[in-house]
Amino acid sequence: MGGVISADDAKWIEPFSGLSEVQFARLVALVRRCGGDVQRGRPWRLPLEDRMLLVGTYWRTNLTLRQVAPLFGVSKSAADRILDHLASLLAISPARRPRKDTVYIVDGTLVPTRDRSIAASSKNYRYSTNLQVVIDANSRLVVAIGLPLPGSRNDCRAFTAGVDRACRGAPTIADGGYQGTGLLIPHRRRRGQTHLSPQQEAENAVHRRARARVEHALSRLKNWKILRDCRLKGNGVHQAMLGIARLHNLALTG
């Protein structure tokens, strides 16, 4: 291998992919079955394992591709080609039809991005995009990611822009910002009501404990630093979120 970092050296795998050696091997096998070794044009200089580690390193550290490429002994254009090829193969699959006992939780997260076509100045005072994330309440796995919308859009509007289709057929828990969507939101005081009843307070406490699971999932997703300041344009931020969700799910399932 010509690069400094190689998947052959197990010490690099977990810090730069968030996966154990066994989990990373499972992911490589999955991507290979999906066409990860297919060559279009020039042959790949790096084996699939190193190419996937390059993508994981780029997402995990948020270094530029110009900085990441020399670590693997390739040019910046080669690193671009690797990212373009593998990002879509790493994306999570669309959610299957939920089982009868499935419960989902949804919440939105703001991802700062440089692409003004999908961003707007938002409540974090940065140009951000709003991405809706749906998880399974029991397994805590990410089951769907919404399309990026400008960060000035509220969660209710962002949810009904497409990701709501993934939640059909399953009760879905959300916070109070999703009024009018038919989701399970906490009780709120009505006009003229000074306080909630003890039963409503107790139900809200249960609701908060359940909804905390999606907050924890969002926190783990943002361990990949590209979601803290994304330089990718077009559908790049969406592809990165979908791929990182795959890595997150694999890390949870062992």
Side-chain angles (χ1 to χ4, degrees), residues 118-131:
I118 57 170
S121 183
S122 52
K123 61 185 179 183
N124 62 359
Y125 304 105
R126 301 179 65 184
Y127 275 85
S128 303
T129 185
N130 184 326
L131 286 163

Side-chain angles (χ1 to χ4, degrees), residues 11-49:
K11 72 178 182 181
W12 298 116
I13 292 177
E14 189 161 2
F16 292 124
S17 70
L19 303 176
S20 69
E21 189 176 357
V22 173
Q23 292 167 341
F24 186 76
R26 286 174 53 198
L27 183 64
V28 170
L30 173 66
V31 173
R32 183 170 279 120
R33 289 196 299 271
C34 294
D37 270 337
V38 173
Q39 294 182 2
R40 294 184 178 89
R42 290 171 294 173
W44 300 111
R45 178 174 177 180
L46 298 175
L48 180 58
E49 292 82 356

Side-chain angles (χ1 to χ4, degrees), residues 22-235:
V22 173
Q23 292 167 341
F24 186 76
R26 286 174 53 198
L27 183 64
V28 170
L30 173 66
V31 173
R32 183 170 279 120
R33 289 196 299 271
C34 294
D37 270 337
V38 173
Q39 294 182 2
R40 294 184 178 89
R42 290 171 294 173
W44 300 111
R45 178 174 177 180
L46 298 175
L48 180 58
E49 292 82 356
D50 286 5
R51 282 181 275 134
M52 289 180 58
L53 191 57
L54 184 151
V55 175
T57 301
Y58 176 61
W59 286 344
R60 190 80 167 177
T61 65
N62 203 23
L63 295 171
T64 65
L65 281 177
R66 196 175 299 279
Q67 292 169 315
V68 170
L71 299 177
F72 290 83
V74 297
S75 66
K76 193 259 184 186
S77 60
D80 272 325
R81 194 162 65 102
I82 289 168
L83 181 65
D84 289 343
H85 180 61
L86 291 182
S88 60
L89 300 181
L90 286 167
I92 58 170
S93 304
R96 297 179 180 179
R97 187 174 181 178
R99 301 188 309 271
K100 290 184 179 179
D101 60 344
T102 298
V103 177
Y104 288 155
I105 312 174
V106 64
D107 200 3
T109 186
L110 293 175
V111 176
T113 181
R114 315 285 179 87
D115 186 353
R116 298 292 178 92
S117 67
I118 57 170
S121 183
S122 52
K123 61 185 179 183
N124 62 359
Y125 304 105
R126 301 179 65 184
Y127 275 85
S128 303
T129 185
N130 184 326
L131 286 163
Q132 297 289 298
V133 178
V134 182
I135 71 165
D136 186 301
N138 295 315
S139 66
R140 309 190 186 208
L141 299 178
V142 177
V143 297
I145 303 285
L147 291 171
L149 292 177
S152 55
R153 305 280 178 89
N154 60 40
D155 284 338
C156 180
R157 186 173 178 184
F159 175 77
T160 56
V163 77
D164 55 331
R165 290 192 292 270
C167 298
R168 289 175 185 168
T172 304
I173 298 170
D175 64 28
Y178 290 81
Q179 290 187 75
T181 58
L183 304 184
L184 303 174
I185 63 174
H187 296 290
R188 303 182 69 174
R189 291 194 302 270
R190 296 181 180 179
R191 183 175 296 178
Q193 187 179 9
T194 58
H195 60 273
L196 298 176
S197 70
Q199 181 178 348
Q200 289 174 325
E201 292 283 7
E203 289 174 355
N204 278 1
V206 173
H207 187 282
R208 283 193 299 272
R209 286 195 294 272
R211 206 179 62 79
R213 298 179 182 184
V214 73
E215 299 287 352
H216 297 158
L218 293 175
S219 177
R220 286 192 291 269
L221 289 170
K222 290 199 173 181
N223 284 333
W224 279 269
K225 293 182 181 178
I226 196 169
L227 299 182
R228 299 181 189 180
D229 183 17
C230 187
R231 290 181 295 270
L232 297 170
K233 299 200 175 187
N235 68 345

